[in-house]
Amino acid sequence: MELNFIIRLLRKWLWLIVLAGFVAGGMNFLLRSNQPPVYRASVMLSIGDITQMTNPTQTDISLGERLAETYVQILRTFPVLDGTIQALNLPLTAEALRGRIGAFTIDGTTLFNVSVNYNDNTLVAEIANELARQLILNSPTRLDEDQQATLNIANEQISRLREQQNQITTQYTTINARLTDPSISISDAEREELSGERDALSQQLTSIQSTIADFATTVNELQRQRNRIEIVEPARTPSASFSGPATNAIPEGALVGIALAIGLAFFIEYMDDTVRTTEQAAQLLGLPILGAIARFGKPKESHKDKLITRQSLISPVPEGYRVVRTNLLLASEEHEKNVFIITSPGPEEGKSLTTANLAVSMAWAGMRVLLVDADLRRPKVHEIFGLDNDIGLTTLLSIPIGSNGTMRDELRERLKQCIKDTDIPKLRVITSGFPPRNPSEILGSGLMKLWVDAFRSSPDIDIVLIDTPPCMVVSDSLALASSTNADVVLVVQARGTRRAAAVKAKEQFTQIGTEIKGVIVNAIDPRDESGYYYTEYTYYAEDRQPAKRGLARLFSRRSPATTQ
């Protein structure tokens, strides 16, 4: 996806992005403002006794990590939750408490954190610590009553024996000092008695140390378990809400709204299979772009109100038609009078209005233009120029001309009646006339070809524009192009003409050997363009020499005219 396309898309949908950010940020602020502050407290727990090992192995650590993940799941079970609720008399259900709990393991360790969110900063720490205690009570390594009693007795005996050991050690040290101090004079009998007491105390110390070791072994066997849970750091009362003030919710909501709006914009653009830009039309069809016409006028305006005669001469719309006129004339053949069939792939794509405005633009340039309405099914030209449609093209096609292709004298007057003048000097129109039963047949007939040849040979006509029905709906334009050997101009509507229809339209004319001079992209949105719409006429203004030579060549074979 090209950067220019992304920039144009963002500029086009900027209103939606800004609106979504504003609305989402405001809604998030209102929601946060109406909610009480939420506090968070965390307690850290450890699995096993790895921290007490001198050289723990990788197996011990891996086992601890897997056990930690298991206890994270056990933490959310009903016995742990319900035990916490009952212990603290919480006004919560087990499901509600489960939604307030967060737990995660710390990678590479046997530690895991348990966090709780609650709207009471004191109670939230109590909940976290109670959850840890309930997890320990509900763990499979909890000691039963007999084991706990044995553990308590062993610890009491160890404490009693250590006190006795300290007393005997004191006595032993005192006696030994009297026996070894040379400054103290004692008799042989007394020395012998003290030596006996010292030996007895030494035997008692040895016996006590052995007994303490036995009780310590019992305690270690009861406490030393690989999946034993213990609290490393209890939860503390938080001093501030973790969610922060309500204003912090504005950028969060705005970012979410902007992201959703951008995603929606890209989705809409992706699902849009119409021709959107002149660049896309050129790449898709491989045809020259004669010009881009911006969307103008109001939807309910009549066709007559959309003639460029009602537009300012310096506005982009008339300038767009001037660009089309210049490009089309420069692409035309110099040695013959030009006849252009103008069509579009589908209906309601601005074909008739484009043809009428192009004819007006050519007449403004001083050319004698004949506009023929060959859309015999849904004619529009007479409405655009405010003309009667009692007689017209079908009238001419119902009157045969000479076998040699020349008009009989008595028919010239009838032709003059069918060619109607307009408010635009040098622009004349042949309306469609009465609706026929077989439009395709009469437009593709030899009689139509003879009339077109007669228009070509007329000294009073410089250029002929023929408005025809959509080529993907009916075959009228194909039949006319095949019989008259006229060039074709294809009109597509930006965001109105589907890509497949435009390609199929080109293929139809290619199959019958008709040349498509180029494409007019109608109803362009300047925001979709990459500078084409605003710079095309500037390009021809800067490249003055080719433009002057081309126009001089075109006008040299036509009668002198004054530009209106």
Side-chain angles (χ1 to χ4, degrees):
M1 187 177 295
E2 296 183 358
L3 180 61
N4 287 339
F5 171 76
I6 296 176
I7 293 175
R8 291 199 303 269
L9 185 144
L10 294 178
R11 287 177 58 189
K12 176 183 177 182
W13 294 97
L14 181 62
W15 66 272
L16 177 62
I17 296 172
V18 173
L19 179 62
F22 180 80
V23 173
M27 291 180 62
N28 203 28
F29 173 77
L30 293 176
L31 291 175
R32 186 72 61 83
S33 299
N34 295 328
Q35 293 178 350
V38 179
Y39 300 91
R40 174 177 292 174
S42 300
V43 57
M44 181 181 292
L45 299 98
S46 175
I47 301 297
D49 53 358
I50 292 179
T51 56
Q52 301 175 3
M53 294 182 181
T54 304
N55 295 308
T57 64
Q58 184 62 39
T59 303
D60 295 329
I61 297 175
S62 299
L63 177 60
E65 288 180 338
R66 292 194 295 272
L67 288 173
E69 294 175 356
T70 301
Y71 281 118
V72 165
Q73 301 303 320
I74 295 176
L75 179 70
R76 294 185 171 90
T77 59
F78 180 80
V80 176
L81 299 174
D82 189 60
T84 303
I85 293 172
Q86 293 181 6
L88 298 177
N89 195 22
L90 297 176
L92 296 172
T93 63
E95 290 297 330
L97 180 57
R98 182 183 289 117
R100 296 175 179 271
I101 296 175
F104 62 92
T105 60
I106 301 176
D107 294 339
T109 70
T110 60
L111 304 175
F112 67 98
N113 268 324
V114 177
S115 63
V116 179
N117 299 331
Y118 200 63
N119 53 15
D120 188 323
N121 65 329
T122 302
L123 191 56
V124 69
E126 297 179 5
I127 295 175
N129 290 327
E130 184 62 28
L131 277 170
R133 193 179 74 85
Q134 291 293 329
L135 180 62
I136 294 173
L137 292 177
N138 287 274
S139 65
T141 58
R142 184 185 58 179
L143 299 178
D144 56 26
E145 294 182 359
D146 293 339
Q147 289 174 328
Q148 187 65 45
T150 302
L151 179 63
N152 294 336
I153 293 173
N155 287 326
E156 292 175 358
Q157 292 296 325
I158 290 174
S159 298
R160 184 183 61 80
L161 290 172
R162 290 193 185 280
E163 292 178 359
Q164 186 178 354
Q165 182 184 28
N166 291 334
Q167 295 175 357
I168 294 175
T169 301
T170 301
Q171 295 176 9
Y172 178 87
T173 303
T174 303
I175 293 173
N176 188 59
R178 293 189 64 187
L179 290 174
T180 58
D181 191 350
S183 62
I184 300 176
S185 177
I186 57 175
S187 63
D188 291 339
E190 186 179 4
R191 182 179 295 277
E192 183 177 355
E193 183 181 358
L194 290 175
S195 296
E197 291 179 4
R198 185 181 64 178
D199 293 340
L201 291 174
S202 177
Q203 291 177 0
Q204 290 180 15
L205 286 174
T206 302
S207 176
I208 289 174
Q209 289 175 352
S210 177
T211 304
I212 290 175
D214 291 340
F215 280 117
T217 300
T218 301
V219 171
N220 289 334
E221 289 178 354
L222 292 173
Q223 290 183 340
R224 183 180 175 84
Q225 301 181 26
R226 292 184 181 275
N227 61 345
R228 179 172 58 88
I229 307 175
E230 62 179 357
I231 297 176
V232 177
E233 182 181 8
R236 294 175 293 178
T237 301
S239 58
S241 170
F242 85 96
S243 58
T247 53
N248 292 349
I250 296 177
E252 298 174 2
L255 288 176
V256 173
I258 289 172
L260 292 176
I262 292 176
L264 178 62
F266 274 96
F267 177 76
I268 293 174
E269 293 292 328
Y270 176 78
M271 295 300 294
D272 185 5
D273 64 343
T274 59
V275 178
R276 296 191 294 269
T277 65
T278 54
E279 180 181 3
Q280 189 180 74
Q283 294 176 352
L284 180 69
L285 300 175
L287 296 171
I289 302 299
L290 299 176
I293 309 300
R295 184 183 299 274
F296 67 98
K298 299 179 180 179
K300 294 184 179 180
E301 281 185 345
S302 64
H303 289 87
K304 185 176 182 179
D305 293 332
K306 292 183 180 181
L307 271 179
I308 59 174
T309 54
R310 298 180 178 271
Q311 301 285 327
S312 172
L313 296 182
I314 60 174
S315 68
V317 175
E319 189 60 44
Y321 284 108
R322 294 189 193 103
V323 170
V324 175
R325 176 193 69 198
T326 303
N327 289 340
L328 185 60
L329 294 178
L330 289 175
S332 61
E333 298 293 337
E334 181 180 0
H335 60 276
E336 63 180 18
K337 195 171 297 183
N338 296 293
V339 177
F340 295 105
I341 294 175
I342 301 178
T343 187
S344 62
E348 305 297 332
E349 293 178 350
K351 162 189 59 64
S352 297
L353 184 62
T354 298
T355 306
N357 280 324
L358 180 58
V360 172
S361 178
M362 289 180 172
W364 277 353
M367 287 175 280
R368 294 167 296 183
V369 182
L370 176 61
L371 173 57
V372 180
D373 189 355
D375 190 345
L376 305 181
R377 302 171 188 267
R378 297 179 61 184
K380 295 292 182 182
V381 173
H382 67 283
E383 296 180 4
I384 295 174
F385 290 97
L387 302 174
D388 295 331
N389 196 27
D390 49 352
I391 59 174
L393 180 61
T394 51
T395 306
L396 297 179
L397 294 178
S398 63
I399 305 174
I401 58 179
S403 59
N404 58 354
T406 60
M407 288 187 291
R408 300 194 301 267
D409 293 338
E410 60 270 19
L411 298 179
R412 294 184 184 275
E413 186 64 27
R414 196 57 180 268
L415 176 59
K416 292 180 180 179
Q417 295 177 0
C418 292
I419 298 180
K420 302 177 177 66
D421 293 326
T422 65
D423 296 337
I424 311 300
K426 300 186 180 299
L427 173 59
R428 293 178 293 174
V429 173
I430 297 180
T431 60
S432 62
F434 61 88
R437 295 181 178 179
N438 52 347
S440 296
E441 286 74 11
I442 63 174
L443 289 177
S445 64
L447 188 58
M448 182 66 190
K449 180 180 184 304
L450 293 177
W451 277 112
V452 171
D453 290 340
F455 299 151
R456 281 195 177 105
S457 61
S458 173
D460 298 329
I461 301 174
D462 295 326
I463 193 166
V464 180
L465 300 179
I466 305 177
D467 181 30
T468 61
C471 59
M472 292 296 297
V473 178
V474 293
S475 61
D476 299 12
S477 57
L478 294 171
L480 181 60
S482 177
S483 64
T484 61
N485 196 29
D487 295 327
V488 174
V489 175
L490 188 64
V491 176
V492 298
Q493 185 183 49
R495 297 191 176 273
T497 302
R498 298 192 178 277
R499 300 172 199 170
V503 173
K504 185 64 177 178
K506 175 193 172 183
E507 292 176 351
Q508 287 184 345
F509 287 105
T510 302
Q511 289 174 358
I512 63 174
T514 299
E515 180 182 4
I516 299 179
K517 283 296 182 180
V519 179
I520 302 174
V521 185
N522 193 31
I524 277 287
D525 186 345
R527 294 174 297 177
D528 290 335
E529 291 297 296
S530 181
Y532 177 89
Y533 176 74
Y534 290 105
T535 60
E536 183 167 348
Y537 74 90
T538 305
Y539 171 82
Y540 285 101
E542 292 175 354
D543 193 12
R544 292 181 181 276
Q545 295 305 320
K548 284 186 176 181
R549 288 197 299 269
L551 291 177
R553 179 192 68 195
L554 290 168
F555 294 144
S556 63
R557 54 189 172 90
R558 296 178 171 91
S559 59
T562 58
T563 303
Q564 181 177 354

